[in-house]
């Protein structure tokens, strides 16, 4: 099991504005903020999560990778739809509208968005098809 995952971003302002809005429908919020001064010059970091665990982290201070893929669990298909709408409204680019992805399995419902740095962010529900 993974405790947390993170990746570098080009700056914190744009991704913060994006993730604050895009992850809200999934019940994920900003829980941790570490400044550049606190890390001794090794970048600033933000931690998003729920239930006391900031399991998704972004930060500055390293080169930005291309093509990171992160999938967040959604409790139902409506949450997948809400994530997609919120992420588009927050400035994300569509990378796959909400819908079934039977190539993964019969009840896989996902939506994909490219964040401000071009990373592929997904919300997925593994429930029964609607």
């Amino acid at each position: 099991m993974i405790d947390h995952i993170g990746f570098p971003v080009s700056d914190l302002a744009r991704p913060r504005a994006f993730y604050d809005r895009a992850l809200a429908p999934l019940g994920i919020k900003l829980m941790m903020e570490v400044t550049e001064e606190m890390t001794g010059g090794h970048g600033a970091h933000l931690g998003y999560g729920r239930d006391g665990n900031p399991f998704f982290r972004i930060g500055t201070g390293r080169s930005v990778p291309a093509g990171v893929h992160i999938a967040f669990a959604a409790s139902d298909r409506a949450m997948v739809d809400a994530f997609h709408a919120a992420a588009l409204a927050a400035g994300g680019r569509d990378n796959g509208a909400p819908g079934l992805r039977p190539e993964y399995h019969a009840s896989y419902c996902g939506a994909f968005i490219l964040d401000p740095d071009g990373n592929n962010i997904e919300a997925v529900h593994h429930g029964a098809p609607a």
Side-chain angles (χ1 to χ4, degrees), residues 19-130:
Y19 285 112
D20 283 355
R21 293 174 61 192
L23 298 179
L26 302 174
I28 299 170
K29 64 181 181 176
L30 182 65
M31 300 181 69
M32 178 183 82
E33 189 166 357
V34 179
T35 67
E36 177 101 18
E37 294 75 28
M38 294 166 77
T39 67
H42 296 285
H45 307 278
L46 301 175
Y48 289 85
R50 65 175 159 243
D51 302 325
N53 179 19
F55 54 82
F56 174 64
R57 301 175 188 186
I58 57 174
T60 62
R62 294 194 175 142
S63 63
V64 178
V68 170
H69 175 83
I70 304 286
F72 292 98
S75 60
D76 55 37
R77 290 182 67 180
M79 191 177 276
V80 172
D81 293 342
F83 157 79
H84 190 260
L88 286 175
R93 291 175 291 146
D94 180 53
N95 198 32
L100 290 175
R101 302 293 193 278
E103 62 272 25
Y104 301 135
H105 65 71
S107 59
Y108 191 110
C109 178
F112 303 84
I113 293 287
L114 296 176
D115 78 359
D117 287 309
N119 296 302
N120 188 20
I121 309 303
E122 175 185 4
V124 60
H125 175 63
H126 294 282

